[in-house]
Amino acid sequence: MLNNFLAFSTLVSIWFSLLASLVTLYGAIRFWIKHSKKIVSITPLKRYPTITIVVPAHNEELVIAKTTKGILDLNYPASKIEVLLYADNCQDKTAAEMRKAVDMPEYRYRNVQIIERQGSGGKAGVLNDALEIAQGEYICVYDADALPEQNALYFLIKKVLENPSRYMATFGRNKTRNAKQNFLTRCINQEVIVSQRIQHVGVWNLFKIGRIPGTNFIINTEYVRSIGGWQQGALTEDTEISFRIMEDGYLIALAYNSEAFEQEPEHLRDYYYQRLRWAKGNYQVVINNFKHLFDRSNWRVKLETFYLTCVFFWFNLAVVLSDIIFFVDLGCVVARFFNPKIPIIFAMDSNLLLMQLLLINWLLMILLYVTQINLALATQYGQATSNQIWLALGSYFTYSQLFIAISIQAVCSVIGDKIFKRDGSKWVKTKRFAD
């Protein structure tokens, strides 16, 4: 009886996760059908708010000069931009590379400060230090490896000006600048495209829910001051502050034409620990905000809490259990060739094996996975190719399964931090490459 209950619950959970994915996909398709016919043009804005651009950098000597130049070349009035470049606890030539870029003749008279910081708090600590001295009406954040497209800031501001009293922040899209480096970066590229062009777009289009990414976003300076800044030491300070914005009844708007190009990990170890940090941070945020399912928070906060709880706990657990059930039953079927008396442990009844239903589920998950990737690729020029289909299939059985191991370790680590009162926050350095 317990076996059947566990198996049936797993099946229902997977069906529900498939339904949630289909709803998001539907929202994204509606969005792109509408916006694919729009011609994007750069026209003067009704006003140009002052902007403080903050760049937190920890041992980023290989990429910081290129990012600095990209920021200083943004299509936005130079007199309206203040740039704060933070070399945070660096042991390399990050600050020197910043100065080299800023000292170029075309940038010599720009409003740029280079700050060599010795402090704690990681990225959130840097942002809070910047908040104390920022002069801009909005704070814009770019990671050290995030090279903004020339009009990235323009589109962020254009979106926020549509409804400045309601849009407390706007965010753009991020793209992989080293996508063709190897199999891992190609898989990351597909993940990023689906995340940016299906999940973010679909959720914003259907529910007007936005999630601040770690880079390429702006946020109202006075609002951040009013809530006490970023949570010090948070592993995913972006997700944490997104919840606070929604709790206050404001929106985080999607500026889908704003783009920045990020450098992704090229080695498995770097990728694993980067995603582990993100997963731990997201689990912490979900746990801290779980109470909103039962309080008087607005419906967007409840929906976002429910969605993230499902993704990081329920759906992940269902996938792990389905894999276990499938392979246990498969082992029983193989064993029956040698001993017919061995029972199928997770049989629904004598005529229908649960393994058959799980096989159908697997096929549906693979189909949806590949469909999402190819629809997302189709919205981006030059990405939709036959090679991407085979890559999607290969990544499902390799790259995407790695997240199961990451999730399990992240959950165990978060629980361990709580029990043993460990400091679970630290700045995790992802290895960079010259490009």
Side-chain angles (χ1 to χ4, degrees):
M1 179 65 76
L2 179 61
N3 288 353
N4 286 344
F5 174 78
L6 182 64
F8 184 74
S9 299
T10 301
L11 275 174
V12 172
S13 300
I14 292 175
W15 290 335
F16 190 83
S17 70
L18 290 172
L19 177 61
S21 297
L22 287 172
V23 170
T24 306
L25 185 60
Y26 166 74
I29 291 173
R30 282 189 59 186
F31 179 91
W32 289 116
I33 288 176
K34 176 181 177 181
H35 289 81
S36 62
K37 299 177 182 178
K38 289 188 176 182
I39 298 175
V40 179
S41 57
I42 307 298
T43 56
L45 300 175
K46 54 186 177 184
R47 74 182 185 93
Y48 289 86
T50 53
I51 308 297
T52 297
I53 299 179
V54 183
V55 184
H58 175 65
N59 294 338
E60 300 282 8
E61 63 180 358
L62 294 178
V63 295
I64 193 61
K66 196 169 185 177
T67 300
T68 301
K69 293 174 186 175
I71 289 171
L72 293 174
D73 286 335
L74 284 168
N75 179 25
Y76 199 82
S79 61
K80 298 287 187 176
I81 294 179
E82 171 192 37
V83 181
L84 303 178
L85 302 174
Y86 279 87
D88 183 59
N89 295 288
C90 292
Q91 289 84 44
D92 64 355
K93 299 179 181 178
T94 297
E97 290 296 319
M98 290 174 174
R99 293 190 182 92
K100 189 184 299 184
V102 172
D103 287 342
M104 295 178 68
E106 59 266 40
Y107 309 131
R108 193 162 293 167
Y109 300 103
R110 296 292 297 273
N111 183 6
V112 182
Q113 293 186 55
I114 296 172
I115 303 164
E116 296 188 58
R117 179 180 184 268
Q118 300 295 325
S120 60
K123 183 178 176 181
V126 172
L127 295 178
N128 284 328
D129 283 2
L131 183 63
E132 293 181 5
I133 62 174
Q135 300 297 312
E137 183 179 343
Y138 290 92
I139 288 177
C140 176
V141 179
Y142 284 107
D143 285 344
D145 66 312
L147 181 64
E149 188 270 333
Q150 191 173 27
N151 294 304
L153 180 58
Y154 167 89
F155 285 118
L156 290 173
I157 297 299
K158 184 177 181 179
K159 186 65 181 180
V160 83
L161 291 179
E162 290 179 7
N163 193 350
S165 62
R166 192 81 192 281
Y167 295 167
M168 209 46 57
T170 58
F171 67 103
R173 295 185 292 111
N174 301 310
K175 302 167 83 170
T176 305
R177 65 199 256 190
N178 57 334
K180 297 182 179 180
Q181 194 65 26
N182 54 38
F183 177 76
L184 177 61
T185 59
R186 287 183 174 89
C187 292
I188 294 174
N189 178 57
Q190 288 191 341
E191 176 198 353
V192 169
I193 291 175
V194 170
S195 172
Q196 303 284 323
R197 302 183 78 90
I198 297 294
Q199 294 173 359
H200 287 185
V201 165
V203 172
W204 169 253
N205 189 45
L206 291 175
F207 310 111
K208 292 297 178 283
I209 292 176
R211 302 161 187 157
I212 291 179
T215 187
N216 193 29
F217 70 90
I218 62 172
I219 188 167
N220 186 284
T221 305
E222 288 307 313
Y223 172 76
V224 181
R225 286 176 177 151
S226 73
I227 62 173
W230 281 267
Q231 183 179 321
Q232 197 81 353
L235 290 175
T236 49
E237 75 294 326
D238 43 7
T239 308
E240 189 276 333
I241 203 169
S242 295
F243 266 96
R244 285 198 275 169
I245 293 172
M246 285 191 291
E247 286 170 33
D248 289 337
Y250 298 111
L251 298 180
I252 304 164
L254 170 65
Y256 71 96
N257 283 316
S258 175
E259 297 181 340
F261 298 83
E262 287 188 299
Q263 190 180 89
E264 299 292 350
E266 296 183 2
H267 299 303
L268 190 59
R269 183 181 183 279
D270 296 320
Y271 165 83
Y272 189 90
Y273 284 105
Q274 181 194 66
R275 293 309 201 265
L276 179 62
R277 174 172 65 90
W278 292 358
K280 277 190 65 177
N282 285 322
Y283 278 116
Q284 289 171 352
V285 171
V286 172
I287 292 171
N288 292 338
N289 287 279
F290 189 74
K291 61 181 182 292
H292 294 309
L293 287 176
F294 311 100
D295 62 18
R296 298 185 175 223
S297 298
N298 65 70
W299 68 269
R300 286 191 175 89
V301 174
K302 290 183 181 296
L303 181 59
E304 182 73 341
T305 302
F306 178 70
Y307 177 80
L308 293 179
T309 301
C310 290
V311 169
F312 288 102
F313 288 97
W314 184 12
F315 296 163
N316 278 343
L317 179 60
V319 170
V320 172
L321 289 176
S322 71
D323 286 348
I324 293 172
I325 291 170
F326 180 82
F327 285 111
V328 166
D329 275 4
L330 182 62
C332 292
V333 169
V334 173
R336 281 166 70 102
F337 284 106
F338 305 96
N339 185 355
K341 294 183 180 180
I342 293 178
I344 304 297
I345 296 177
F346 292 100
M348 296 287 281
D349 56 44
S350 57
N351 299 316
L352 178 63
L353 298 181
L354 184 63
M355 189 181 72
Q356 294 171 313
L357 287 175
L358 286 173
L359 180 59
I360 294 173
N361 270 10
W362 267 22
L363 294 175
L364 288 174
M365 285 191 291
I366 294 170
L367 178 62
L368 182 59
Y369 181 85
V370 175
T371 301
Q372 277 188 324
I373 288 175
N374 283 278
L375 284 174
L377 293 170
T379 67
Q380 190 164 306
Y381 180 79
Q383 289 278 1
T385 65
S386 57
N387 287 338
Q388 294 281 17
I389 298 175
W390 297 113
L391 177 63
L393 284 170
S395 70
Y396 179 85
F397 293 102
T398 54
Y399 176 81
S400 68
Q401 302 304 315
L402 183 61
F403 190 72
I404 296 175
I406 293 173
S407 297
I408 293 172
Q409 184 174 350
V411 170
C412 293
S413 182
V414 169
I415 293 173
D417 292 343
K418 293 283 187 182
I419 294 175
F420 300 108
K421 301 187 182 306
R422 300 182 308 212
D423 180 10
S425 64
K426 70 174 185 176
W427 188 300
V428 179
K429 180 72 185 74
T430 300
K431 186 177 180 181
R432 304 297 184 200
F433 304 91
D435 59 1

